[in-house]
């Protein structure tokens, strides 16, 4: 298990800082930040209906758009396991019958990678840039990050610690798979939630969550919720975490920030296994320790 910790804006525990790992669904937090930068600049509005369907950007970012998820397809998992070439995105959408909403937008909650594929298409359409160029311009450069990149092919994963799935094809992640050092994931979340990218009103919107129920067995969440590209809620120890867990074949990454009074810390844990709870529990332990020392 690898970890990097940022306390009050400074890296304090760089463990193998040059190790590049997949950011998995922490990519969603970055996509949300980029989309919200478009709102900040007056290019789109959170509550305008988007071109992909009768739902808004806010509903896409909060998984409230009524969309299904391709993770529900047995054929998808079988194809990944057989190391097949990823399907074209439109083929995947057809297999999923994605145009058929599973509930009216805003009336429910259902985690959907498809929703973030539509966020990607929105970002590219509004900026006129490729996703990687847009993310560099709108998120990474402003936050001082220079070693994050978008993996599109197996060759792009050369030198990346993929855990037990070294032959994975990132094309199976339809909203894109970011890869980068652990410390840059911690710095990315820390800078974002510290207010170094978005105005306070958008940060508040980002962290306004839909509460998703009570404790999750095997994981530290006691009151989980989901905001705009953020998992957020209470965990054991009465800490409130904001960030995202991501899992894929062979590994898990958990990236979270916690504020305690005037002190704040961000932690990223990379676990070469399939247990999200193990990575999240390590985050809780690390953040509890550093914030305890700062009291």
């Amino acid at each position: 298990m690898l970890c990097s910790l940022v306390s009050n804006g400074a890296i304090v525990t760089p463990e193998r800082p040059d190790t590049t790992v997949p950011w998995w669904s922490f990519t969603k937090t970055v996509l949300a930040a980029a989309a919200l930068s478009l709102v900040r600049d007056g290019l789109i509005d959170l509550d305008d209906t988007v071109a992909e369907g009768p739902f808004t950007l806010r509903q896409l970012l909060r998984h409230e758009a009524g969309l299904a998820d391709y993770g529900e397809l047995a054929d998808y998992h079988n194809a990944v396991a057989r190391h097949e070439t990823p399907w074209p995105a439109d083929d995947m959408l057809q297999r999923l019958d994605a145009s058929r909403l599973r509930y009216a937008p805003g009336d429910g909650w259902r985690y959907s990678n498809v929703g973030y594929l539509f966020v990607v298409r929105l970002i590219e359409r509004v900026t006129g840039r490729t996703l990687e160029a847009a993310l560099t311009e709108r998120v990474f450069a402003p936050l001082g990050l220079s070693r994050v990149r978008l993996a599109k092919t197996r060759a792009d994963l050369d030198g990346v610690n993929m855990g037990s799935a070294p032959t994975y094809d990132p094309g199976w992640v339809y909203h894109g798979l970011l890869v980068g050092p652990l410390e840059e994931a911690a710095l990315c979340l820390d800078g974002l939630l510290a207010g170094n990218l978005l105005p306070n009103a958008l940060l508040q919107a980002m962290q306004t969550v839909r509460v998703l129920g009570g404790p999750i067995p095997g994981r530290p969440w006691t009151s989980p919720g989901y905001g705009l590209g953020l998992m957020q809620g209470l965990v054991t120890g009465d800490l409130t975490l904001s960030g995202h867990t991501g899992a894929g074949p062979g590994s898990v990454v958990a990236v979270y920030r916690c504020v305690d009074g005037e002190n704040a810390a961000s932690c990223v844990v990379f676990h070469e296994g399939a247990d999200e709870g193990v990575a999240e529990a390590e985050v809780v332990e690390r953040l509890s320790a550093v914030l305890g020392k700062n009291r």
Side-chain angles (χ1 to χ4, degrees):
M1 197 173 309
L2 300 176
C3 172
S4 187
L5 188 68
V6 171
S7 178
N8 294 324
I11 297 172
V12 292
T13 57
E15 298 177 10
R16 291 168 58 186
D18 292 332
T19 301
T20 298
V21 302
W23 286 14
W24 296 123
S25 278
F26 180 58
T27 299
K28 290 182 174 69
T29 303
V30 178
L31 293 173
L36 290 172
S37 78
L38 301 177
V39 177
R40 176 199 65 199
D41 295 344
L43 299 175
I44 55 175
D45 189 270
L46 265 173
D47 295 311
D48 284 347
T49 301
V50 301
E52 284 72 18
F55 34 73
T56 67
L57 174 59
R58 190 191 303 271
Q59 289 166 341
L60 287 174
L61 294 176
R62 281 169 59 102
H63 297 293
E64 295 177 333
L67 294 163
D69 181 56
Y70 53 78
E72 302 162 19
L73 295 173
D75 286 350
Y76 170 84
H77 296 285
N78 293 335
V80 173
R82 290 192 297 264
H83 308 293
E84 294 181 7
T85 300
W87 310 323
D90 288 340
D91 182 15
M92 176 274 293
L93 294 173
Q94 184 175 12
R95 290 171 185 251
L96 185 61
D97 190 17
S99 62
R100 178 176 63 84
L101 298 184
R102 274 46 174 187
Y103 56 86
D107 284 354
W109 191 90
R110 185 174 184 150
Y111 192 88
S112 175
N113 289 287
V114 170
Y116 275 78
L117 166 62
F118 292 162
V119 172
V120 167
R121 291 180 172 181
L122 174 66
I123 291 170
E124 292 182 327
R125 184 167 63 246
V126 172
T127 63
R129 310 287 299 275
T130 65
L131 177 62
E132 189 162 28
L135 294 181
T136 298
E137 180 182 272
R138 292 191 160 268
V139 181
F140 301 138
L143 294 179
L145 309 176
S146 60
R147 294 183 289 162
V148 190
R149 55 190 172 84
L150 193 65
K152 301 175 183 176
T153 68
R154 287 190 176 99
D156 292 333
L157 295 178
D158 288 347
V160 179
N161 184 348
M162 295 299 294
S164 61
T167 60
Y168 183 73
D169 192 322
W172 286 114
V173 183
Y174 285 94
H175 60 55
L177 176 61
L178 292 172
V179 299
L182 276 77
E183 66 179 36
E184 292 220 344
L187 289 169
C188 181
L189 182 66
D190 198 73
L192 171 63
L193 296 185
N196 298 338
L197 186 71
L198 301 171
N200 187 57
L202 284 177
L203 277 180
Q204 289 183 347
M206 194 176 196
Q207 296 179 85
T208 299
V209 304
R210 183 187 187 105
V211 178
L212 301 178
I216 302 176
R219 298 173 70 175
W221 298 97
T222 58
S223 181
Y226 205 95
L228 305 183
L230 285 175
M231 296 169 61
Q232 179 174 294
L234 284 172
V235 295
T236 52
D238 291 327
L239 298 179
T240 297
L241 300 189
S242 298
H244 218 294
T245 301
S251 62
V252 172
V253 66
V255 190
Y256 288 94
R257 186 174 191 261
C258 182
V259 177
D260 181 24
E262 296 182 357
N263 297 307
S266 296
C267 181
V268 52
V269 167
F270 177 74
H271 171 52
E272 295 183 22
D275 194 329
E276 294 169 299
V278 168
E280 292 169 343
E282 183 70 15
V283 165
V284 173
E285 182 176 340
R286 299 271 186 149
L287 290 176
S288 296
V290 72
L291 290 173
K293 291 176 183 177
N294 284 336
R295 289 193 183 100

